[in-house]
């Protein structure tokens, strides 16, 4: 079937959703744990907001009834807003948007509301604010602004795009997924594609209508309604990761309505949407450069490890970190490790699971030591083949490491056999929320069978991580989710205010290479670089934090090209008496000899 031309304006009819979905997600969200706020009903005010979008649509401005969020969330207020499900029918059915805010600590000096988006797509803005706002923003920002987060349409506590009848049915399905984080061998491809096809059927049936209205453009239109609802003349916005696509879309739709836009960790919006025809020979995972960015960040981790030396980095105690890591990953391709985990089933640590687990550990310099420890444990277990105390100690420590990673949500799940599910039953936070904007607007190859070749071609371009991230977008194939109200460009901006665009030099999820072009798309875009590692600049540079504070409060942006250093070391000096580290270093003496012999034999 020929691809349907894609549009940048609203047609009169919306395409129906078909069925097909897959397991890999973009995952550019800032990591956070879940927390459930209280829900307060919100009525829509009769007043209308003129010129809601470039198409001239108007819609009722929500009236926000802020209420306490509940026990344990005393500093925060919660509300709900009703927005049009379809902006072509602004008086028609509505979607419910969940909001939370941390009120300004200095009400008398309050400037307005700081809107935030933590990325994803599918990241919960409610979770981000409730879990991170009190530390992510300086006291001055928190004094002068209400810090607001909202779950975008389709996500979490907002009207969710649910893929199963119940949350339990979805959990059961995911637990039954094939035991690979992504296909590595040819034999793994068909089961992986089959599981995703079955999953797509569930999501297409239960979430099709909601997915069809979940483009970033509609989220931007929602955000402009919310801006009016809180009484701000201009939008003050901090967007991270995928939040950069939301920021670019808002600026394109509403170029004169921004007071200040701070963008941290950029995706190229043109690469995100791809070919406007709807078909693109590359997956969105390849277009957005995640594989290359992650491989570069991993190489920097290994360089910093070698620089820190054996006292701070375990891989360095086993030899050259780059050589040890490569041998460990190569060894896992040939033979997975079975590692007992305290209080849980043993973990089969294979190549795909290890690569997928390393990816989020590259998000912060504070988790680099965990990546180091994971690979060092693998290296020791591969080389210490005795059944004595040395191997037993290594197994116990490896199990503790894997247990900690799993408990923190940093161990990639294996995981899908079909589970029964019919129409939407309960409303719950579903993986459909991650698919909402991803599948509603991004172009794709058009065939599931194309992804194996796309992934294989990435091995030389971006070792290890390129093939893993190349599968992103597979979940959209055949789903039919496409929002005709999506904005697909152009991306040359007209926003007159200074726009501050920040990025770390080595970001695994949003390639630094996109940062300067993103800033240059604005008439007065200012580039801020943090010389460091990790996903976004949040919490790693006091220099950058001070500049961001000044920008948000006074709309005074630093000169473009400003560079700040990172304060947080990736491999801090070892604490006195670090027992487990010393033990592994001792075990490593045996492993190092074996690694050296292996290197000689393999050239």
């Amino acid at each position: 079937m020929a691809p349907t031309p894609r549009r940048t304006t609203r047609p009169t009819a919306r395409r129906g959703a078909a069925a097909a979905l897959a397991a890999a997600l973009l995952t550019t969200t800032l990591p956070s744990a879940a927390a459930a706020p209280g829900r307060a009903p919100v009525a829509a005010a009769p007043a209308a907001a003129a010129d809601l979008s470039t198409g001239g649509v108007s819609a009722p401005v929500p009236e926000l009834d802020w209420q306490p969020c509940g026990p344990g969330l005393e500093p925060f207020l919660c509300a709900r807003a009703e927005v049009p499900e379809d902006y072509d029918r602004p008086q028609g059915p509505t979607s419910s948007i969940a909001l939370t805010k941390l009120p300004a600590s200095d009400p008398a000096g309050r400037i307005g509301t700081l809107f935030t988006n933590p990325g994803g797509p599918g990241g919960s803005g409610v979770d981000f604010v409730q879990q991170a706002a009190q530390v992510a923003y300086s006291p001055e920002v928190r004094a002068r602004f209400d810090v607001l987060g909202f779950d975008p349409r389709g996500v979490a506590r907002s009207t969710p795009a649910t893929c199963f009848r119940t949350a339990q049915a979805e959990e059961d399905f995911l637990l039954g997924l094939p035991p690979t984080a992504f296909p590595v061998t040819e034999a793994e491809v068909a089961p992986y594609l089959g599981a995703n096809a079955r999953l797509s059927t569930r999501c297409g049936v239960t979430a099709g209508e909601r997915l069809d209205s979940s483009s970033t453009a509609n989220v931007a239109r929602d955000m402009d309604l919310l801006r009016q609802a809180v009484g701000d003349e201009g939008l003050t916005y901090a967007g991270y990761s995928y939040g950069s696509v939301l920021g670019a879309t808002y600026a394109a739709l509403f170029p004169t309505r921004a007071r200040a836009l701070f963008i941290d960790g950029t995706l190229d919006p043109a690469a995100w949407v791809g070919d406007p025809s709807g078909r693109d020979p590359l997956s969105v995972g390849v277009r957005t450069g995640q594989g290359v960015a992650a491989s570069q960040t991993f190489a920097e981790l290994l360089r910093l490890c070698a620089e820190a030396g054996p006292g701070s980095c375990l891989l360095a105690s086993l030899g050259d970190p780059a050589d040890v890591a490569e041998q460990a990953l190569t060894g896992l391709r040939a033979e997975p490790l079975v590692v007992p985990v305290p209080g849980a089933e043993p973990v089969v640590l294979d190549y795909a699971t290890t690569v997928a687990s390393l990816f989020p550990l590259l998000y912060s310099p504070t988790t680099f030591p965990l990546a180091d420890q994971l690979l060092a444990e693998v290296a020791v277990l591969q080389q210490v083949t005795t059944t004595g105390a040395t191997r037993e100690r290594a197994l116990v420590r490896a199990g503790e490491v894997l247990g900690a990673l799993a408990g923190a949500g940093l161990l990639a799940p294996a995981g899908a056999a079909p589970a029964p599910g019919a129409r939407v039953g309960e409303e719950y936070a579903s993986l459909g929320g991650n698919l909402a904007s991803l599948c509603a607007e991004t172009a794709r190859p058009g065939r599931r069978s194309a992804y194996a070749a796309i992934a294989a071609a990435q091995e030389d371009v971006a070792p290890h991580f390129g093939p893993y991230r190349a599968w992103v977008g597979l979940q959209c194939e055949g789903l039919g989710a496409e929002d005709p109200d999506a904005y697909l460009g152009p991306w040359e901006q007209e926003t007159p205010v200074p726009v501050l665009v920040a990025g770390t030099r080595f970001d695994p999820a949003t390639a630094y290479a996109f940062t300067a072009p993103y800033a240059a798309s604005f008439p007065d875009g200012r580039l801020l670089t943090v010389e460091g590692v990790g996903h976004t600049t949040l919490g790693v540079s006091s220099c950058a934090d001070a500049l961001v504070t000044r920008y948000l409060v006074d709309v005074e942006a630093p000169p473009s090209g400003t560079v700040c250093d990172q304060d947080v070391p990736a491999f801090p000096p070892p604490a006195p008496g670090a027992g487990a580290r010393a033990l592994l270093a001792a075990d490593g003496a045996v492993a190092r000899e074996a690694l050296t012999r292996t290197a000689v034999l393999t050239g």
Side-chain angles (χ1 to χ4, degrees), residues 319-348:
D320 178 81
D323 292 341
V324 175
E326 188 61 31
Q327 289 181 53
L329 291 171
T330 300
L332 287 173
R333 274 184 184 267
E335 184 178 0
L337 290 169
V338 180
V339 182
V341 176
E345 292 293 318
V347 169
V348 178

Side-chain angles (χ1 to χ4, degrees), residues 10-374:
R10 288 175 303 281
T12 56
R14 138 185 338 271
R15 294 181 63 194
L21 194 63
L25 298 175
L26 190 66
T27 322
T28 63
T29 315
L30 299 176
S32 65
R39 293 182 173 227
V42 175
D51 300 323
L52 180 65
S53 73
T54 53
V57 175
S58 60
V61 177
E63 185 175 294
L64 303 179
D65 180 19
W66 294 103
Q67 298 290 331
C69 293
L73 296 170
E74 283 75 12
F76 304 94
L77 297 176
C78 288
R80 299 190 72 79
E82 298 300 317
V83 298
E85 181 179 289
D86 182 353
Y87 278 97
D88 295 320
R89 296 181 294 161
Q91 304 295 331
T94 62
S95 290
S96 182
I97 305 298
L99 306 91
T100 192
K101 70 176 178 180
L102 178 66
S105 61
D106 178 15
R110 179 181 175 275
I111 295 171
T113 298
L114 172 61
F115 282 76
T116 64
N117 180 278
S124 168
V126 172
D127 285 351
F128 173 69
V129 165
Q130 291 179 350
Q131 297 171 14
Q134 290 170 298
V135 295
Y137 300 106
S138 68
E140 186 175 0
V141 168
R142 287 184 279 115
R144 307 296 299 279
F145 292 95
D146 297 339
V147 182
L148 183 146
F150 66 97
D151 289 353
R153 53 174 59 211
V155 174
R157 302 163 186 80
S158 293
T159 301
T162 53
C163 287
F164 289 83
R165 181 175 54 82
T166 66
Q168 186 61 53
E170 181 167 312
E171 182 179 349
D172 292 343
F173 185 94
L174 295 176
L175 288 174
L177 284 168
T180 182
F182 64 97
V184 176
T185 67
E186 186 175 344
E188 292 171 338
V189 172
Y192 188 80
L193 296 181
N196 284 307
R198 294 191 296 272
L199 180 58
S200 70
T201 301
R202 311 297 183 186
C203 291
V205 168
T206 61
E209 296 255 340
R210 292 176 181 180
L211 292 171
D212 272 352
S213 63
S214 294
S215 66
T216 302
N218 274 345
V219 177
R221 294 175 180 117
D222 296 343
M223 188 162 65
D224 196 63
L225 269 187
L226 297 175
R227 171 192 65 79
Q228 296 170 73
V230 299
D232 283 4
E233 183 176 346
L235 179 76
T236 303
Y237 175 73
Y240 306 90
S241 196
Y242 161 79
S244 64
V245 179
L246 177 56
T249 303
Y250 183 91
L253 291 176
F254 309 110
T256 63
R257 300 186 189 177
R259 172 188 172 272
L261 301 177
F262 170 56
I263 307 298
D264 191 353
T266 55
L267 289 166
D268 176 7
W272 168 259
V273 300
D275 190 322
S277 72
R279 291 292 175 257
D280 199 294
L282 297 177
S283 68
V284 64
V286 173
R287 295 197 306 267
T288 53
Q290 281 195 339
V292 172
S295 291
Q296 292 173 342
T297 305
F298 185 56
E300 179 67 1
L301 178 153
L302 298 173
R303 187 193 71 80
L304 292 171
C305 172
E307 184 179 88
S312 295
C313 185
L314 293 169
L315 287 170
S317 70
L318 301 175
D320 178 81
D323 292 341
V324 175
E326 188 61 31
Q327 289 181 53
L329 291 171
T330 300
L332 287 173
R333 274 184 184 267
E335 184 178 0
L337 290 169
V338 180
V339 182
V341 176
E345 292 293 318
V347 169
V348 178
L349 194 61
D350 60 12
Y351 171 78
T353 300
T354 303
V355 170
S357 297
L358 286 170
F359 180 66
L361 296 179
L362 301 176
Y363 270 41
S364 170
T366 62
T367 53
F368 272 31
L370 287 174
D372 165 46
Q373 188 166 3
L374 175 60

